[in-house]
Amino acid sequence: MLKIFDLEKTYQYLLIILAFLMPLTVFGANLIIVIICLLWLISGDYQNKYLQIIGNKLILVSILFFALHVIGLLWTEDLFWGLHIVHKMWYFLLLLPVLFTIVRKENIKFYISAFLLAITFTEIASYLVWFEIIEPFKNASVKNPTPFMSHISYNPILAFAIYLVLHEIFFNKKISIFLLYFYCFFSLTMTINMFITGGRAGQVAFFVMLLILIFQVLNTQRVRALIVSSLLMPLIFITAYYSSSLFHERVNLAFNEVITFQETKGFDDNTGSHTSVGLRLAMAINSWQIIKKNPIIGVGTGDFPKEYKKYNQINFPKLRNVENPHNMYSFVLVNLGITGLVSMLAIFYYQIKLSFNSSSKLIRDTGVTLPLMFLVMMLSDSYLLGHFTTLMFIFFSSFLYKDFEKP
């Protein structure tokens, strides 16, 4: 058995490494997670761990959210797919409680710094691909340079990183001049990077976090905050629209797809394929029809693909079938009904509520911003199912909502 001091030190190094690896590599992050969880499970002190877990309502509702997915297996017809979904949700049962019990207040700055360092590497790689200095690799293309993950995950994570940097610029009174200038440059390059990549949900999250930040900076000046946000946000949007061909193209495409949806039924007759927005609208319609017939407890944890196929063949026979509706609310409602949705929303409720308990402005402000960003982003994709975004959500939740004053 490791000595307590050595084990504690090991945990902190592993957490810093995890913060660095989680935006870069699935395998590397998962390896560190496995090591952390194994150490936690064999290291004893179980009573203290138990007391910490049951003493935090966020952890309890997180476990409840997972438990409902297990209970939902009782009435699912596709047990295999149900177990697959349960496996994706294990972060809420084990990883969040484990990380919650080992994070330390004095090391939060190192966790965040390691995360931002990794984002620096992803951004540099993105620009190198975009300027065609290096060949595109992994998920990247010159037109959409997101090498380490898809743009669906990259842009939301980038938006959150921009928030962390901007918060330091505006609120850290002890920041050095050199670091201040570096952070200003860093936030500018990240913002540009946001609009040369194709993640529309992340771009929406960017504007959400910017709006939140403006109100946090002008906390007692609400009218002024409204004026600043009403001027700054359209300015950024217009600048991005006319300077980034990809952003310009995807904004126009989204509007055109919404306008023509009724005529084309989400299908592009010119290209012979489905449209992105059209498919999402079709998924929303099909999902809602399933929800209306199973409103309380849903169809079961594993039955979304089967039930969706039934309605899709009737409503949109040209569109492909999907395994999730790219909307976290619809996904949970179909599988677990209102019961599941309430349990998921309880996670966000307690995040916001607990964030106000912190005496640290960084923790308090970030603790509000993280759930609000996800609540908006989850309208366009199932962001608590994807590896990168779920891991970021869980990792930051483990210390943003912990009362470090408790023994």
Side-chain angles (χ1 to χ4, degrees), residues 299-312:
V299 299
T301 305
D303 280 8
F304 179 90
K306 179 179 68 68
E307 292 296 322
Y308 184 89
K309 184 176 180 180
K310 291 179 186 177
Y311 289 92
N312 193 51

Side-chain angles (χ1 to χ4, degrees), residues 317-384:
K318 288 186 176 182
L319 292 181
R320 65 179 174 85
N321 297 314
V322 296
E323 295 173 344
N324 82 77
H326 292 269
N327 179 307
M328 198 69 207
Y329 304 101
S330 296
F331 183 74
V332 173
L333 275 168
V334 169
N335 287 341
L336 301 173
I338 295 172
T339 306
L341 180 65
V342 170
S343 73
M344 184 183 77
L345 292 178
I347 293 173
F348 295 92
Y349 168 78
Y350 281 111
Q351 283 180 318
I352 295 170
K353 183 178 180 180
L354 292 172
S355 66
F356 292 108
N357 293 339
S358 177
S359 58
S360 164
K361 184 162 182 59
L362 172 63
I363 301 300
R364 187 167 62 251
D365 289 352
T366 309
V368 171
T369 304
L370 179 68
L372 290 180
M373 284 178 60
F374 267 81
L375 284 167
V376 174
M377 293 190 308
M378 292 191 309
L379 290 168
S380 67
D381 218 316
S382 305
Y383 278 107
L384 295 183

Side-chain angles (χ1 to χ4, degrees), residues 41-267:
L41 289 170
I42 67 174
S43 60
D45 198 21
Y46 300 116
Q47 183 177 3
N48 179 50
K49 294 171 182 175
Y50 171 75
L51 291 174
Q52 286 191 64
I53 290 169
I54 65 168
N56 185 278
K57 291 182 179 179
L58 173 62
I59 305 301
L60 293 179
V61 295
S62 171
I63 294 172
L64 173 63
F65 181 58
F66 173 85
L68 287 176
H69 283 82
V70 176
I71 295 170
L73 294 174
L74 295 175
W75 58 89
T76 192
E77 294 181 19
D78 191 341
L79 186 60
F80 178 81
W81 189 254
L83 290 172
H84 171 73
I85 298 301
V86 168
H87 170 72
K88 279 183 168 290
M89 293 292 175
W90 81 274
Y91 285 164
F92 293 92
L93 171 72
L94 183 59
L95 185 59
L96 180 55
V98 167
L99 296 183
F100 179 82
T101 61
I102 65 175
V103 291
R104 297 294 175 259
K105 184 178 182 179
E106 61 272 16
N107 290 328
I108 289 175
K109 59 182 179 293
F110 297 115
Y111 308 152
I112 294 176
S113 295
F115 171 73
L116 291 178
L117 180 61
I119 296 300
T120 305
F121 283 118
T122 65
E123 183 193 354
I124 291 171
S126 179
Y127 276 117
L128 289 174
V129 171
W130 192 58
F131 284 117
E132 300 185 61
I133 296 173
I134 62 174
E135 289 292 319
F137 62 99
K138 296 182 73 173
N139 296 289
S141 65
V142 173
K143 188 176 180 181
N144 192 12
T146 57
F148 296 102
M149 64 191 84
S150 76
H151 61 265
I152 295 172
S153 299
Y154 178 70
N155 287 65
I157 292 173
L158 184 63
F160 187 64
I162 294 171
Y163 173 82
L164 293 172
V165 173
L166 289 176
H167 197 281
E168 282 292 288
I169 291 172
F170 285 106
F171 294 110
N172 187 351
K173 305 303 181 184
K174 298 180 180 179
I175 191 171
S176 67
I177 294 297
F178 171 79
L179 198 55
L180 176 63
Y181 285 139
F182 173 75
Y183 275 173
C184 288
F185 175 75
F186 190 24
S187 61
L188 177 62
T189 58
M190 284 195 294
T191 301
I192 295 171
N193 196 228
M194 171 67 64
F195 295 101
I196 65 170
T197 49
R200 285 179 292 205
Q203 289 159 357
V204 171
F206 169 84
F207 287 108
V208 170
M209 76 84 188
L210 188 60
L211 180 63
I212 296 168
L213 182 66
I214 290 170
F215 275 86
Q216 289 172 345
V217 172
L218 301 172
N219 185 34
T220 59
Q221 305 173 57
R222 301 297 173 85
V223 175
R224 190 177 175 186
L226 281 171
I227 295 171
V228 171
S229 59
S230 63
L231 293 174
L232 182 60
M233 294 174 67
L235 178 62
I236 294 174
F237 180 89
I238 292 169
T239 302
Y241 183 79
Y242 286 105
S243 60
S244 169
S245 59
L246 179 59
F247 183 65
H248 185 282
E249 175 187 318
R250 289 181 69 79
V251 169
N252 288 348
L253 185 63
F255 278 113
N256 290 336
E257 288 174 4
V258 170
I259 293 169
T260 61
F261 176 74
Q262 286 298 330
E263 300 173 3
T264 64
K265 294 294 184 182
F267 192 79

